[in-house]
Structure formats: C-alpha cells, structure tokens
Amino acid sequence: MASRGSSRSSQPSLRGIISTNDDPGRCALCLEEFPTGPENLTVWGMLFCCGKGLCDRCVSSRFSAASACPVCKSPLSSSSRGIGALKKHAKKGRPWAQYQLATVHGEGCNVAQSDFEAVRWFRKAAKQGHPGALLCLGQHHIDGKGCALDLSEARKCAERAMAVDAQYARVSCLLLFEVSLAYKDMETSEARKEERSILTFLVSKGMREAQFRLAVALLADDKDYHCAAKMFGLAALQGDIDSAGGAATCCMQLERYSLANFWSEIVVKAKGEGMRPEHKEKRMEDVDNLRLDLRRWLRDKCGGCGAALDGETRLHCKGCRTYCYCGRDCQKLHWNRDGCGGHRDECLEVRSLKEKMVNE
C-alpha cells in the first residue's frame, strides 16, 4: 500500500478519507463501495479506533495479522482499549459509534451487558437519523427491555427508519408487523384500531402476511366479504395458499362462482402444501365442500335460465371455462345481464387473474 499522498495511480490516496467522521460507505483501503441495506451489514468490518470500514477482502489480507490499524496506524491494543476508543467517538456525537456502542452493551461483548445502556446509546444515534439505531430502538420499545413498553414509539421508530433510508423499508415493515401483532394481543378497541391502521399501511407496501391478516380482520370484525376477498386475492397472487382458500370462500358468499372456482382450484392443486398448520385441516375441508356446491351451480344447471343440465348437451363459457349453458341464447342472456348477476365482469376478472398467475 502506498503511503498517504503517494502519486502511484494504482494505489489511491487516503487523503480526505481518514479525517472524515461519517458512516463509512466504502472500504478505506481499496475504496470499494460497500453493499448497502441492513442485510449487508456483515460483509464489512468497522474499525473502532478511527471509525473506518474495511471490506472482507482487506480484513483478511491486511488486518488479521497486523499489529497496527492499516488506516490510522494506531496500535491494535486490547479489547478494553478498543471499547474505550469507541466510547470516545460516541461521546463526540458520531452516530456510527453510538450505534456500535449500543450494540456492544446489548450483547455484553467485552462490557457488562446492559439493556438500559444499549437503549441510551441507540436513542442518541436515532436522534441523528441512524436507521439501524431507529430499528433497534423500536424493537426495545416492543419488548420493553431497557425502556418502557411503548408500541406507539416503536411504530414511530420504524416509520422514521423507512423515511431516512428506503433500503431499510423491508426491515421496517417487519418491525411494523411485530407492532401490529403486539396490538392484536392487547384485545382492546383502541388497539384493534391501531392494528388495522398498521396493516392497511403494510398492505400498501405489498406485504403478503399483512394482506392475509387484514382480510381475516375484515371478516371477523365487519363481515366485509368484498374487501376481504380483495385482500385474500392480493396475498394469493403472491403465493399464499391459505389466502386462495379464503378468497374462494368469500367469492362463494358473494355468489361470484367463477372466481370461487378459480381460487379453489389453486388450493386443490397445491394439495395443502404451504398452508399454515393451524388452518390447513379446516381450510381443505371447507374447499372440498365448496367445490361440491360449485358443481351444482356451474355444471348441473344452466347459468342463464337455471334449467337442469344432463349429458353432453351444454355449452361452456370459452373465457373462464366454468359456467355451462343449455344454449347460445342463455349464454348471451347471462353475459349481458345487468348488475352483479351478469357474467361479463367476472369472466374478464378470472381471465385477468389467470394471466397474472402465468406471468408470475
């Protein structure tokens, strides 16, 4: 490695890097940019002495056998002195150091384990907008460790982390979902309202489990089969088999038999795989009974006039392949019927869903 200020183009200078106090965005030695986002926090190492980051390659090749820091050249001393250097950076208000010091206290690594100290330093880093500290502080508020249990504060931390750095959106959504579960356990009207508010927000972010949970809540609290069917459908399109069964049940209640048949076929093809264990047995039983009823509506009588059908004297809807008719006139009558009794809108929706399933 060339010394600082060297003119060799193959080894970039560290000028302007050593003196910065910001969170490291690139390796201080090879200048390789670090992958961002919470899932990539383990692919690089933090130097407590100078606050710089090193990529894994530089850690293994330049740091593991070194007696001094390869960046600031300070001697690599004992763990206790390393923690002391970290505390100095934290007391100077550097968010990366405050976050690291909070983590050290929370894990009891070379210091006495203390949730109170962890929360204190997480809070200091969070005030400066450190997304990791915001999420950790929110988790402490959910668990009530080192601070009072405060779900509203946990929600604020998760939402602020998402606003500070969009790459933390997925982890923030998971934390918000934990908050919603905590509200659910409280079983009060105010808590249910907060839970519904969080789930609605998570649905807007496309979270599958939130879509399922909101659909269940809509059925249990409001008996709103239309909105529940929509939520179940969104989750089912993301591969949630339980939701496909829920959508089939809701569509059956709404007398939308083509859609009920579409969703129930997904459950049958899955053979129960991927379903939540607590719902599997009842869901499969419900779907089996539902398909018996569907045969009566879709195969054994005309969708237009309602007359009983027997043998092969029947026409099928060429779009969704569900309804049967005794003749062309009945098919036209059913297709063009006004209101919810008409087949046009439902058939187009089934075809659209089939295309989405194929594309995904």
Side-chain angles (χ1 to χ4, degrees):
M1 178 73 182
S3 62
R4 182 175 174 179
S6 171
S7 60
R8 290 176 59 186
S9 59
S10 61
Q11 300 292 341
S13 167
L14 296 179
R15 188 180 300 278
I17 298 176
I18 292 179
S19 61
T20 62
N21 295 324
D22 299 329
D23 288 343
R26 61 178 67 238
C27 178
L29 293 180
C30 67
L31 301 185
E32 177 184 345
E33 289 192 11
F34 297 134
T36 54
E39 66 277 6
N40 292 308
L41 292 178
T42 60
V43 300
W44 51 276
M46 172 72 74
L47 299 171
F48 288 174
C49 52
C50 56
K52 303 307 160 195
L54 297 182
C55 66
D56 280 349
R57 186 174 64 254
C58 288
V59 167
S60 59
S61 63
R62 304 289 300 278
F63 183 75
S64 56
S67 59
C69 172
V71 180
C72 66
K73 307 306 179 184
S74 61
L76 296 177
S77 51
S78 64
S79 299
S80 60
R81 292 189 65 181
I83 297 296
L86 183 63
K87 286 182 178 179
K88 288 182 180 179
H89 287 297
K91 289 178 180 179
K92 289 180 180 179
R94 294 165 185 170
W96 64 266
Q98 293 167 344
Y99 172 75
Q100 293 289 340
L101 185 58
T103 303
V104 165
H105 277 293
E107 296 175 352
C109 181
N110 299 315
V111 295
Q113 196 280 333
S114 172
D115 288 322
F116 294 99
E117 279 296 297
V119 168
R120 184 167 78 90
W121 287 108
F122 276 138
R123 187 171 280 121
K124 288 178 180 292
K127 285 181 179 179
Q128 299 190 66
H130 193 291
L134 284 163
L135 292 174
C136 291
L137 182 61
Q139 188 65 60
H140 275 275
H141 279 298
I142 293 174
D143 300 333
K145 292 183 178 180
C147 59
L149 192 153
D150 190 338
L151 297 182
S152 62
E153 192 64 30
R155 180 179 182 178
K156 290 178 183 177
C157 288
E159 291 174 344
R160 190 180 170 203
M162 192 181 304
V164 168
D165 191 339
Q167 297 188 77
Y168 282 75
R170 186 182 65 84
V171 183
S172 299
C173 285
L174 292 175
L175 183 63
L176 282 173
F177 189 73
E178 281 195 55
V179 176
S180 74
L181 290 175
Y183 273 123
K184 180 185 178 182
D185 294 339
M186 295 174 69
E187 296 183 350
T188 64
S189 58
E190 191 64 31
R192 292 291 285 173
K193 188 184 298 183
E194 289 294 326
E195 179 199 11
R196 183 77 67 87
S197 172
I198 293 173
L199 289 176
T200 302
F201 173 77
L202 294 176
V203 165
S204 70
K205 298 297 181 181
M207 188 176 187
R208 187 179 75 177
E209 192 64 25
Q211 293 163 347
F212 176 81
R213 283 267 316 283
L214 183 56
V216 172
L218 287 167
L219 285 180
D221 300 342
D222 308 330
K223 302 297 182 185
D224 189 341
Y225 291 101
H226 181 78
C227 290
K230 181 180 179 181
M231 290 298 107
F232 277 135
L234 290 174
L237 287 173
Q238 295 190 62
D240 193 309
I241 305 301
D242 268 331
S243 293
T249 302
C250 290
C251 290
M252 198 69 178
Q253 291 289 332
L254 296 169
E255 299 183 359
R256 306 192 74 187
Y257 301 122
S258 291
L259 284 166
N261 183 69
F262 171 79
W263 293 122
S264 65
E265 282 182 346
I266 292 177
V267 179
V268 171
K269 289 177 181 177
K271 298 180 180 180
E273 294 184 7
M275 299 183 77
R276 296 166 180 81
E278 65 272 21
H279 298 150
K280 182 176 180 178
E281 185 175 349
K282 186 177 186 307
R283 185 73 77 194
M284 293 301 294
E285 182 181 350
D286 290 344
V287 168
D288 288 340
N289 294 330
L290 180 146
R291 289 186 68 79
L292 290 175
D293 291 337
L294 282 174
R295 179 174 180 81
R296 179 164 52 88
W297 286 101
L298 299 175
R299 292 289 184 266
D300 296 341
K301 71 176 187 176
C302 175
C305 66
L309 297 173
D310 55 357
E312 300 299 326
T313 59
R314 64 185 72 188
L315 294 175
H316 288 86
C317 173
K318 293 182 179 180
C320 61
R321 304 292 299 176
T322 51
Y323 274 101
C324 295
Y325 304 96
C326 57
R328 184 70 174 165
D329 291 339
C330 285
Q331 186 174 9
K332 288 182 178 179
L333 175 68
H334 191 207
W335 181 264
N336 296 315
R337 188 176 293 159
D338 293 334
C340 61
H343 181 52
R344 181 199 302 268
D345 293 340
E346 188 179 0
C347 182
L348 293 175
E349 187 171 350
V350 169
R351 282 188 279 179
S352 175
L353 287 170
K354 286 181 177 180
E355 290 177 1
K356 288 181 180 179
M357 296 294 286
V358 170
N359 293 334
E360 295 177 5

